[in-house]
Amino acid sequence: MRLKKRGKKCSLKKVVGKGKRKAAKEGIKPQTVKEKDLHKQLVTLLRHKQKTQKFIFFHIKNDVGRRANGFFYDLKPMGVLPGVADFCILKEMETIFFEIKTEKGKLSDNQKTFLKNVQELGHTTYVAYGWDDILEKVEKIL
């Protein structure tokens, strides 16, 4: 975990044992990891793995509703499906849907429904929470 102290990096050891209030007074706060950053890290990892293993992957951009110049566009009529997993990995005779969450992230009801329906069709699904879990799941997948 990266920490910042008044704009400088700080080790976790400096926070442990001090208590939240004291750490906050000293300006030490943990940086939050964003889901999009986990996605980028996963793409880098998968591209590296493609050098030695045969598979195809792609990120599924799935904004059900999005704003452009102040207007809301409903993309459902174009086939966008709420809850679709973040990534699809294709191996020989195997399709894997991979949902990425931060360590504190939670699946939406639409995501739960999508993953359940995909499993019922005989496909594999994984949900990873945070970078360590992503690494563990990628080792299982590939």
Side-chain angles (χ1 to χ4, degrees):
M1 175 187 284
R2 284 187 186 165
L3 302 167
K4 281 192 171 181
K5 182 176 182 177
R6 295 184 192 109
K8 297 178 182 177
K9 289 182 182 175
C10 177
S11 71
L12 181 60
K13 290 179 184 177
K14 291 184 180 179
V15 176
V16 175
K18 284 193 174 191
K20 291 179 185 177
R21 286 186 183 165
K22 190 170 183 181
K25 281 182 186 178
E26 293 182 17
I28 301 171
K29 60 181 181 180
Q31 290 179 332
T32 55
V33 176
K34 295 181 179 166
E35 199 171 294
K36 72 175 184 175
D37 295 327
L38 292 173
H39 288 196
K40 290 175 186 178
Q41 289 177 303
L42 176 58
V43 167
T44 301
L45 175 64
L46 292 175
R47 285 183 179 154
H48 177 73
K49 295 248 182 212
Q50 280 183 319
K51 293 176 183 175
T52 58
Q53 299 178 47
K54 190 174 182 176
F55 66 93
I56 296 170
F57 77 93
F58 53 93
H59 181 269
I60 302 168
K61 185 70 174 151
N62 194 36
D63 292 336
V64 174
R66 100 183 207 210
R67 294 188 179 270
N69 300 324
F71 295 100
F72 182 78
Y73 293 97
D74 184 9
L75 300 177
K76 288 182 210 174
M78 294 175 54
V80 173
L81 181 66
V84 171
D86 296 318
F87 288 88
C88 181
I89 300 172
L90 305 172
K91 291 171 51 177
E92 191 170 327
M93 303 301 292
E94 187 177 9
T95 304
I96 302 155
F97 290 93
F98 198 10
E99 179 65 38
I100 305 300
K101 293 289 178 192
T102 62
E103 288 182 12
K104 294 181 180 180
K106 295 181 180 174
L107 291 173
S108 70
D109 289 339
N110 286 333
Q111 289 169 326
K112 290 175 188 175
T113 300
F114 175 80
L115 295 172
K116 179 179 166 271
N117 291 342
V118 165
Q119 288 171 348
E120 288 174 357
L121 291 171
H123 300 288
T124 306
T125 64
Y126 286 93
V127 179
Y129 296 91
W131 184 244
D132 291 337
D133 197 26
I134 290 170
L135 292 174
E136 185 180 309
K137 299 289 175 25
V138 167
E139 288 304 313
K140 287 181 185 178
I141 293 168
L142 302 174

